[in-house]
C-alpha cells in the first residue's frame, strides 16, 4: 500500500515536472505566441485535459503533449480510438451524417458553387458527403479517412480514399476545386499549417473550402480529441492567416438543436494575392462569453429540452 502510494506520488511529481517543462514551451496554434493561461481543466477519457487561453489573441487550445506525457502508450491508444473511430458506424451516426451532408450541399448551392469537377473530403467518414456532392454536381470525389471501418464504407460507395493526407499527396497530383473538412480542424495538431497546406498544394486558385467545427460559445467542445476550440472570431482569423477570404459563415444547430448554434460552417476561397504577416485581431472577453453561453445552454436545456436537443434517431 505504502509502496503503491509512494510510486503514485512519484509518478504524479514526474508528470507535474513534465507539465511544468512543457507549459513554458506552449505555443498558440493561431498567433504562435507563448503567452497562455489555463482556462479550464477536466477529465476526459481518463486523462486530465487542460485548455489554455492565449493572452495575445484569445485562442483556446490544448497542449495535447501534456496529456500524452502522463501515460504516452495509453494516450496514443485512446486518442487513436477517438480520432479514428475504429468502431463500426451506427445507424444514428449515419443518419446524422446524411442530414449534415444535405445541409452542407444547400449551403454550397446557395452561395455560388455552381460547378465542381473534382472535390476532396478530408475526414470523409462513411462517404455520405462525398456521395451527396457527387450526385448534385457529378464531380469526381476523393476522400481522406483514417478510420478503417468508415473508409471501407466510403470505398464501397465507389470512391477513392486514402488513410492520410500524406498518402493522398504522394499519389494525387491534380488539384481540387472544393476541399471539405467537417469536424476535422479541431482535432489537428497544427490547424493553421494544414489550412495553409490545403491552399498551396491542394486547392485550385479559384476553388472553395468548406469547413465545419463546434462553436465554443454553444457546444461543450471540451474533449480529449478536441485540441482547438473555435469561435466565429478565431476561426475567421485563422482562415485569414492561412490566406483565405471568407464568403459565408453560418452559425447553426442543425441537425442537433433548434435553439443552440452548436456549429460554425464556413465557405472560403483562397485570396488572390495573400498578404504576408496579416495582423491578428485579438478576441476579447473569451472566458466571460464562454461562461454566459454555458449558462444559456443549461437554461435552454432545462426550459426547452425538446427543441434544444433534437432526437438523434428518426421518430417511429
Ligand atoms: Zn494566440
Amino acid at each position: 500500500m505504502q509502496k503503491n502510494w509512494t510510486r503514485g506520488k512519484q509518478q504524479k511529481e514526474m508528470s507535474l515536472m513534465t507539465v511544468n517543462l512543457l507549459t513554458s514551451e506552449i505555443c498558440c496554434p493561431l498567433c504562435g505566441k507563448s503567452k497562455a493561461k489555463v482556462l479550464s481543466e477536466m477529465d476526459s477519457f481518463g486523462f486530465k485535459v487542460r485548455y489554455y487561453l492565449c493572452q495575445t489573441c484569445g485562442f483556446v487550445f490544448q497542449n495535447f503533449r501534456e496529456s500524452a506525457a502522463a501515460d504516452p502508450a495509453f494516450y496514443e491508444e485512446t486518442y487513436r480510438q477517438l480520432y479514428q473511430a475504429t468502431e463500426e458506424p451506427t445507424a444514428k451516426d449515419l443518419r446524422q451524417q446524411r442530414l449534415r451532408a444535405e445541409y452542407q450541399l444547400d449551403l454550397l448551392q446557395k452561395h455560388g458553387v455552381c460547378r465542381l469537377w473534382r472535390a476532396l473530403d478530408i475526414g470523409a467518414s462513411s462517404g455520405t458527403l462525398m456521395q451527396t456532392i457527387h450526385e448534385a454536381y457529378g464531380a469526381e470525389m476523393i476522400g481522406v479517412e483514417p478510420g478503417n471501418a468508415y473508409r471501407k464504407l466510403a470505398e464501397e460507395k465507389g470512391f477513392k480514399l486514402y488513410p492520410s493526407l500524406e498518402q493522398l499527396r504522394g499519389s494525387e497530383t491534380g488539384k481540387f476545386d472544393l476541399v471539405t473538412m467537417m469536424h476535422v480542424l479541431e482535432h489537428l495538431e497544427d490547424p493553421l499549417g494544414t489550412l495553409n497546406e490545403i491552399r498551396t498544394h491542394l486547392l485550385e486558385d479559384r476553388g472553395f473550402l468548406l469547413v465545419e467545427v463546434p462553436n465554443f460559445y454553444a457546444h461543450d467542445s471540451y474533449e480529449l480529441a478536441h485540441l482547438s476550440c473555435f469561435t466565429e472570431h478565431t476561426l475567421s482569423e485563422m482562415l485569414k492567416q492561412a490566406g483565405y477570404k471568407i464568403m459565408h459563415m453560418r452559425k447553426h444547430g442543425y441537425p442537433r438543436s433548434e435553439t443552440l448554434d452548436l456549429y460554425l460552417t464556413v465557405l472560403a476561397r483562397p485570396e488572390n494575392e495573400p498578404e504576408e504577416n496579416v495582423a491578428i485581431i485579438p478576441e476579447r472577453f473569451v472566458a466571460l462569453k464562454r461562461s454566459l453561453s454555458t449558462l444559456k445552454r443549461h437554461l435552454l436545456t432545462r426550459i426547452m429540452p425538446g427543441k434544444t436537443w433534437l432526437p438523434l434517431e428518426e421518430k417511429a
Side-chain angles (χ1 to χ4, degrees), residues 202-218:
L202 297 171
L203 207 51
E204 295 280 1
D205 292 345
R206 297 200 44 77
F208 292 91
L209 173 78
L210 183 72
V211 171
E212 185 171 286
V213 293
N215 174 11
F216 188 58
Y217 294 146

Side-chain angles (χ1 to χ4, degrees), residues 27-33 35 53-59 61 280:
C27 190
C28 169
L30 173 54
C31 73
K33 301 277 174 3
K35 220 176 128 195
L53 173 61
C54 174
Q55 302 297 297
T56 306
C57 73
F59 193 60
F61 62 97
I280 297 174

Side-chain angles (χ1 to χ4, degrees), residues 45 74-87 147 150 225:
F45 299 93
F74 186 51
Y75 180 88
E76 168 74 9
E77 183 71 9
T78 312
Y79 189 82
R80 200 174 343 110
Q81 273 174 15
L82 276 172
Y83 183 54
Q84 299 194 349
T86 45
E87 285 169 35
Y150 281 94

Side-chain angles (χ1 to χ4, degrees), residues 27-32 57 59-61 181 185-186 188-196 199 209 211 213 227-246 249 266 268 278-281 283:
C27 190
C28 169
L30 173 54
C31 73
C57 73
F59 193 60
V60 177
F61 62 97
M181 277 204 289
L185 204 60
E186 68 273 23
L188 304 179
E189 271 182 67
D190 180 12
L192 179 57
T194 305
L195 288 171
N196 258 317
R199 182 179 54 78
L209 173 78
V211 171
V213 293
L227 301 180
S228 297
C229 297
F230 290 96
T231 68
E232 207 179 347
H233 184 104
T234 55
L235 179 59
S236 305
E237 290 302 310
M238 188 172 281
L239 285 164
K240 275 197 258 168
Q241 284 298 305
Y244 294 88
K245 181 166 64 182
I246 292 166
M249 167 90 76
V266 59
V278 184
I280 297 174
I281 302 167
E283 179 164 21

Side-chain angles (χ1 to χ4, degrees), residues 41-108:
E41 282 181 312
M42 75 284 314
D43 285 314
S44 178
F45 299 93
F47 286 94
K48 178 71 79 192
V49 171
R50 181 180 289 141
Y51 283 91
Y52 291 90
L53 173 61
C54 174
Q55 302 297 297
T56 306
C57 73
F59 193 60
V60 177
F61 62 97
Q62 264 191 65
N63 180 18
F64 84 110
R65 285 180 189 84
E66 280 179 19
S67 311
D71 187 345
F74 186 51
Y75 180 88
E76 168 74 9
E77 183 71 9
T78 312
Y79 189 82
R80 200 174 343 110
Q81 273 174 15
L82 276 172
Y83 183 54
Q84 299 194 349
T86 45
E87 285 169 35
E88 293 296 317
T90 61
K92 214 158 67 177
D93 252 8
L94 297 176
R95 176 178 176 267
Q96 292 279 309
Q97 288 189 20
R98 179 172 53 77
L99 294 176
R100 274 189 174 149
E102 287 163 7
Y103 189 82
Q104 279 132 12
L105 174 66
D106 173 75
L107 191 146
L108 293 175

